[in-house]
Amino acid sequence: MIISFPNMGHCWPAFKTLFNTLDESIEVVLPDPTNREAIKIGVKYSPEFVCFPFKATLGDFVSAIKKGADTLVMAIDCGPCRFGFYASVQERILHDMGYKHVRVIPLDQADLLELKWVKTLFEIAPPKNNKLALYSNAIKAVISFVKKAKLLNDIQTAEGLFRAYERNQGATTDTVQKLLVSLDETKKLNELRKFKTVIKNTFNEIDVDKTRTPLRVGVSGEIHISLEPYVNLDIRRKLGEMGCEIHQSLSLYDWVVHKFHLNYHRKWLEHLSHPHVPMDIGGECVWVLGEYIDKARADFDGFIHQYPFTCMPEVTARTIITNKLKKKYNLPTIFFSFDEQSASEGFRTRLEAFVDLMHSRRNQEIKTKAEFIANGNKKIYPHYGSNFYNECAQLIKTQ
Ligand code: SF4
């Protein structure tokens, strides 16, 4: 069996580990990084009205099949939006395209406590003679997957912070690439336990200018668009290089923990958004609204909401922010809707204009608010972020 899965930013080391540890005879191939060609293929063979992530992931699947993959894994949910149909429709399209030998295995992640995903893992690696060995491999695979997902989350946190301080543009991007390769090569659980220190030490090698006071920006939106840099036109890198510190809690780990009902940060966001949307309507709608309110209360300089064109849940979130929340909270916000037509030049211009707006708003604040004037015309940001974020902030301060 040669297995593959679609691109979603930096998540690949976690998925690769999951399948490799499950059964050593499974070969994992990665699709090429999402590119224009993959999008062209995805757009050509997908229904015109379908969501953009469907098209992008279909293009990734074709790329993986061309590299030999015969089994493709696609996450599914129970709805309420179109995500529940991705796997079955994509399989039919691939068969119609002539790839009749290919199977698309749906990985049900609607509620991970229902353990439907365990059946899927055993479907991928069926028990042979030694059932005990399979169970022990499955447990090890899941632990390694969750550990790597957590470490990827830490890399994302550090990346959002360090890039705003780097003296040599590109140093953070290079560090992230180096860490991804190193994380992929780390197989043993005891080495994974120490990898958090590796992340901190590697980021600490970046030459930073600690005198800067970067703008604090919250980034949220639909998961595929938020995590895959090709489809979001690399918004995190561009924003970071414009001097913004990025806070994005959405990650693979954040999602998996949420689906195990253990994500208390998400429960807090649900509490904040409850008066506006009292139930999950798909996508990240509920949590985007919670993030918006949370960031506004934490005195952030701006908020970015990104989503695929035609995504119903995210358009609902946008409408609630624009029509209701903006009247209550003074948080500059910009919305980006992405599809196959998105082009980087107009996008960059809008992003630069937004950064200028945040700068002028902050300049106004530091000239008029007594506590900022008393602080030498410097904005004081409230304490915010995870323990790991604060450990990284400390590293920058003491460099
Ligand atoms: S969240 Fe949006 S983009 Fe994703 S499947 Fe649902 S409607 Fe489509």
Side-chain angles (χ1 to χ4, degrees):
M1 176 188 291
I2 305 180
I3 205 164
S4 190
F5 41 83
N7 290 311
M8 202 161 73
H10 301 153
C11 301
W12 59 269
F15 285 106
K16 196 174 161 198
T17 275
L18 177 69
F19 300 120
N20 274 338
T21 317
L22 192 61
D23 186 338
E24 279 177 357
S25 65
I26 295 176
E27 189 184 333
V28 178
V29 295
L30 301 177
D32 287 340
T34 307
N35 53 43
R36 181 103 318 256
E37 186 56 27
I39 301 288
K40 250 167 86 180
I41 293 174
V43 169
K44 184 171 173 191
Y45 291 98
S46 301
E48 193 189 343
F49 55 83
V50 81
C51 315
F52 183 46
F54 180 101
K55 300 174 184 173
T57 51
L58 183 68
D60 288 340
F61 279 159
V62 173
S63 159
I65 293 168
K66 287 182 179 163
K67 289 167 105 176
D70 52 26
T71 308
L72 306 163
V73 178
M74 182 76 207
I76 59 158
D77 213 326
C78 60
C81 65
R82 289 172 266 195
F83 189 42
F85 300 103
Y86 275 29
S88 49
V89 179
Q90 284 176 328
E91 186 176 68
R92 285 190 68 166
I93 293 174
L94 290 170
H95 288 179
D96 290 346
M97 287 170 75
Y99 303 117
K100 295 214 186 304
H101 64 293
V102 169
R103 267 196 319 159
V104 180
I105 297 186
L107 184 60
D108 192 333
Q109 41 101 69
D111 182 346
L112 295 180
L113 286 185
E114 285 177 6
L115 301 181
K116 287 183 189 158
W117 53 274
V118 177
K119 274 193 205 152
T120 310
L121 293 187
F122 289 146
E123 193 185 333
I124 293 167
K128 292 166 201 156
N129 301 332
N130 189 350
K131 275 194 186 173
L132 209 59
L134 180 77
Y135 291 138
S136 107
N137 280 356
I139 292 167
K140 197 175 160 208
V142 173
I143 293 173
S144 304
F145 170 78
V146 175
K147 276 202 170 299
K148 286 204 178 181
K150 171 73 176 80
L151 292 163
L152 290 166
N153 184 68
D154 290 342
I155 293 173
Q156 177 179 291
T157 303
E159 177 202 9
L161 179 64
F162 272 85
R163 193 176 277 120
Y165 289 89
E166 68 185 13
R167 277 186 209 274
N168 304 316
Q169 201 174 84
T172 306
T173 307
D174 293 345
T175 301
V176 171
Q177 291 312 322
K178 199 160 90 180
L179 281 167
L180 290 179
V181 173
S182 167
L183 181 61
D184 180 42
E185 287 165 357
T186 307
K187 311 273 184 225
K188 292 188 181 150
L189 286 176
N190 61 341
E191 286 172 8
L192 285 176
R193 255 176 241 128
K194 294 178 207 147
F195 203 84
K196 192 171 158 184
T197 312
V198 176
I199 296 174
K200 283 204 284 185
N201 292 344
T202 316
F203 271 101
N204 206 21
E205 285 166 16
I206 296 174
D207 184 15
V208 295
D209 177 359
K210 64 180 176 186
T211 60
R212 291 180 195 167
T213 311
L215 294 162
R216 268 192 188 181
V217 183
V219 176
S220 189
E222 190 271 340
I223 189 164
H224 179 264
I225 291 287
S226 298
L227 297 186
E228 174 48 49
Y230 186 83
V231 296
N232 66 31
L233 304 177
D234 218 352
I235 189 166
R236 287 173 55 85
R237 184 179 61 76
K238 290 189 177 121
L239 207 53
E241 288 174 356
M242 288 176 195
C244 299
E245 184 184 308
I246 295 159
H247 289 254
Q248 178 183 322
S249 58
L250 177 63
S251 67
L252 175 65
Y253 178 74
D254 175 68
W255 184 248
V256 169
V257 176
H258 163 62
K259 289 295 183 179
F260 275 116
H261 302 273
L262 291 169
N263 193 327
Y264 299 104
H265 176 64
R266 278 201 180 232
K267 288 190 196 304
W268 164 242
L269 300 179
E270 284 162 19
H271 165 74
L272 292 177
S273 63
H274 192 265
H276 310 287
V277 179
M279 63 170 123
D280 181 8
I281 61 163
E284 290 285 322
C285 176
V286 169
W287 302 284
V288 166
L289 297 178
E291 289 275 11
Y292 177 87
I293 298 168
D294 189 49
K295 302 295 188 265
R297 289 183 181 179
D299 207 10
F300 269 53
D301 296 300
F303 183 76
I304 292 181
H305 179 208
Q306 48 189 344
Y307 56 92
F309 183 59
T310 77
C311 173
M312 176 277 292
E314 302 296 333
V315 172
T316 307
R318 173 183 176 151
T319 311
I320 294 172
I321 292 174
T322 317
N323 293 348
K324 285 183 86 177
L325 299 180
K326 267 191 154 181
K327 291 179 188 147
K328 191 166 174 196
Y329 299 101
N330 178 20
L331 178 65
T333 305
I334 192 165
F335 302 95
F336 288 107
S337 111
F338 293 102
D339 67 3
E340 61 273 19
Q341 313 289 349
S342 305
S344 64
E345 283 322 309
F347 167 75
R348 177 176 271 282
T349 308
R350 284 187 66 204
L351 208 54
E352 282 170 354
F354 184 60
V355 173
D356 285 348
L357 178 128
M358 288 189 289
H359 268 300
S360 57
R361 180 176 172 270
R362 188 170 70 177
N363 287 341
Q364 191 63 22
E365 278 181 333
I366 58 177
K367 280 187 214 145
T368 51
K369 286 195 178 172
E371 72 263 39
F372 301 157
I373 296 170
N375 191 41
N377 289 99
K378 244 182 151 190
K379 184 166 175 177
I380 305 163
Y381 289 94
H383 183 79
Y384 192 83
S386 63
N387 286 344
F388 187 74
Y389 165 81
N390 285 296
E391 284 169 30
C392 290
Q394 197 56 33
L395 284 180
I396 290 175
K397 263 192 213 155
T398 51
Q399 220 188 56

